Structures are given as C-alpha cells and as structure tokens.
Amino acid sequence: MLTPEQSAAIFQKDLANIIAKTRDGKPLTAAERRVLRSVPDGITICDPNRDGEGVAKVFQRI
C-alpha cells in the first residue's frame, strides 16, 4: 500500500505529464482523463508566453 506522500508524488508526476501533453497539443489517454476527473475543479494552465493569442490561449482549462 502506498503512503500519502507516495500517492501525492505519483499524482504530481501525472499532472506534469498531462500539462506537457496538453501544451504540445497531444491527445490524453483514458487514464490521464481519469486523473483530471479526480480533480474537483479541473485544472487551468496559465501560459503568459501566449499573451498575444488572447485570454483563451493564456488560460486553458483542462
């Protein structure tokens, strides 16, 4: 059985992978979509480097 610290580290790694894939425009796997569903409010990625592309590109909700 995993400790809470181990579970948190795995979750953090999964989120980092999801953010990287989203940034690259790659589709998410079913397991990655389940990770997102486990986050009650979803995740908003803030990318200030896309400032010239409008608010929808700067703040992407996944």
Side-chain angles (χ1 to χ4, degrees):
M1 181 156 221
L2 296 174
T3 66
E5 291 80 14
Q6 290 170 322
S7 295
I10 291 169
F11 185 71
Q12 186 176 14
K13 184 179 134 234
D14 288 345
L15 285 178
N17 289 336
I18 289 168
I19 291 168
K21 285 179 84 171
T22 302
R23 187 180 315 124
D24 295 339
K26 296 178 181 174
L28 299 178
T29 65
E32 291 165 336
R33 287 192 302 272
R34 279 194 301 276
V35 168
L36 288 181
R37 282 195 300 270
S38 71
V39 180
D41 296 330
I43 297 170
T44 300
I45 298 173
C46 177
D47 187 356
N49 296 320
R50 297 183 81 175
D51 185 36
E53 300 176 50
V55 174
K57 295 295 182 180
V58 174
F59 298 99
Q60 292 185 5
R61 188 164 171 86
I62 57 171

